[in-house]
Each structure stands twice: as structure tokens, then as C-alpha cells.
Amino acid sequence: FTDGKAIIEAGTYTLSATNAASVDNGYSGPLYSGTKTFSINAGEQKAIILDLGKPKNSKVTVSLSSAFAEKYELERLTLSDGTRDITISSEEQEAYFPASVSQLTYILVANAKKNSHVQDITSATGTITISAGTHTPITLKINPIDPNLVIIGTGTEYDGVFQ
């Protein structure tokens, strides 16, 4: 390449590109990739635009409802795709999973705050559905009638309820 240009012989070529997240199958961040086949004739100059599209993997984040945060301290939420476990221990963290993953299992551990009148959550489990190219926000909530009943919500759907 010289000044963003490549000199190549006439012919048909396939241009492929992926970002650095491809080295670990998309666990480290958004995974983008694209491929384009093109032909070029002798003496021709051609600009090739490669559209990488939306991310090929899934992003998962966690938030705590104010009611949950009032009663509990999140110790950890472990998400597993059967190959790899990723533990989230704060709202600032995010996790990424490969496009081939459509379901995660979770284990939630949270400590009851002093004088909150709820019990520690020592190992609540369930499943969450995810899909490639999407961001799945997980929200930890509590039932307003029974604060010992914690709800794991993704978007407007609730994928697991446990005590």
C-alpha cells in the first residue's frame, strides 16, 4: 500500500477484514468483519468500499434498579455460554459473546445490605436468550411486594425469576 492505494494485477479478488476482537472469537469487544469480491481490469483504478455491518457478536451489560441497589450489593453475576464464564461485578462492565451463542446461563450472588430486611442471594441461577448483533441489557430488579423475590429482566422480557 502507498498512500492508501495498492497496485495489483488485473483479475478477480476477494477482500476480507476483521478487527482485533476476532483473535478471541469475539469475547474481548465488538467483532466486525466483512468480505467483498471484486474484479479489476488492466489500467483501471477502482475504489473498494468494504461494509463491515453491525457487530457479529453479542454485547451484554448489567444494571441495577434503584430498588435492588437499595436492598442488595451486587457481588457478582456470572454469565456462561458453556465454553467460557464471564463474571460481572459492577454496572460499568460489559461482556461479549460469539455469534454462535444464543443462550447464557447465569449465577447471581448478591449481599443483603444492613437493615434491608432481605436475605443474601447465595446462588440464583437461570438462562438468558441473546442474539448476534444485539446489545442485551440485563436489569436486576426486586418485586415491590416481596423484596426477597429478585427478577432478572432483559429488555421488557423476564427470563428468570428466583428467590
Side-chain angles (χ1 to χ4, degrees):
F1 280 96
T2 304
D3 294 327
K5 296 179 182 179
I7 298 174
I8 57 176
E9 294 181 16
T12 300
Y13 296 90
T14 300
L15 177 64
S16 297
T18 59
N19 66 330
S22 66
V23 298
D24 67 355
N25 201 20
Y27 283 108
S28 62
L31 173 63
Y32 295 94
S33 66
T35 301
K36 183 170 188 162
T37 300
F38 63 96
S39 295
I40 191 159
N41 299 317
E44 181 181 17
Q45 288 188 12
K46 188 179 240 182
I48 306 300
I49 298 172
L50 182 59
D51 181 10
L52 300 179
K54 66 181 183 177
K56 308 299 186 233
N57 56 351
S58 303
K59 175 182 176 180
V60 178
T61 56
V62 175
S63 65
L64 311 177
S65 71
S66 58
F68 183 93
E70 189 178 293
K71 301 283 185 183
Y72 294 98
E73 186 73 37
L74 175 63
E75 184 175 319
R76 69 183 173 277
L77 178 67
T78 302
L79 302 170
S80 176
D81 64 7
T83 301
R84 187 168 179 184
D85 295 347
I86 296 178
T87 299
I88 296 175
S89 56
S90 73
E91 290 183 85
E92 289 78 39
Q93 292 178 282
E94 51 193 35
Y96 292 88
F97 293 92
S100 59
V101 175
S102 61
Q103 190 165 338
L104 301 174
T105 58
Y106 64 81
I107 301 172
L108 172 66
V109 177
N111 301 312
K113 289 187 175 178
K114 188 176 180 177
N115 298 321
S116 65
H117 307 292
V118 295
Q119 298 174 2
D120 289 346
I121 302 169
T122 57
S123 183
T125 62
T127 60
I128 296 169
T129 300
I130 62 173
S131 61
T134 62
H135 169 208
T136 302
I138 299 171
T139 305
L140 303 179
K141 302 177 180 185
I142 60 173
N143 183 306
I145 297 169
D146 181 0
N148 283 303
L149 180 64
V150 176
I151 302 167
I152 300 282
T154 55
T156 58
E157 297 292 321
Y158 294 111
D159 294 314
V161 178
F162 52 84
Q163 284 188 323

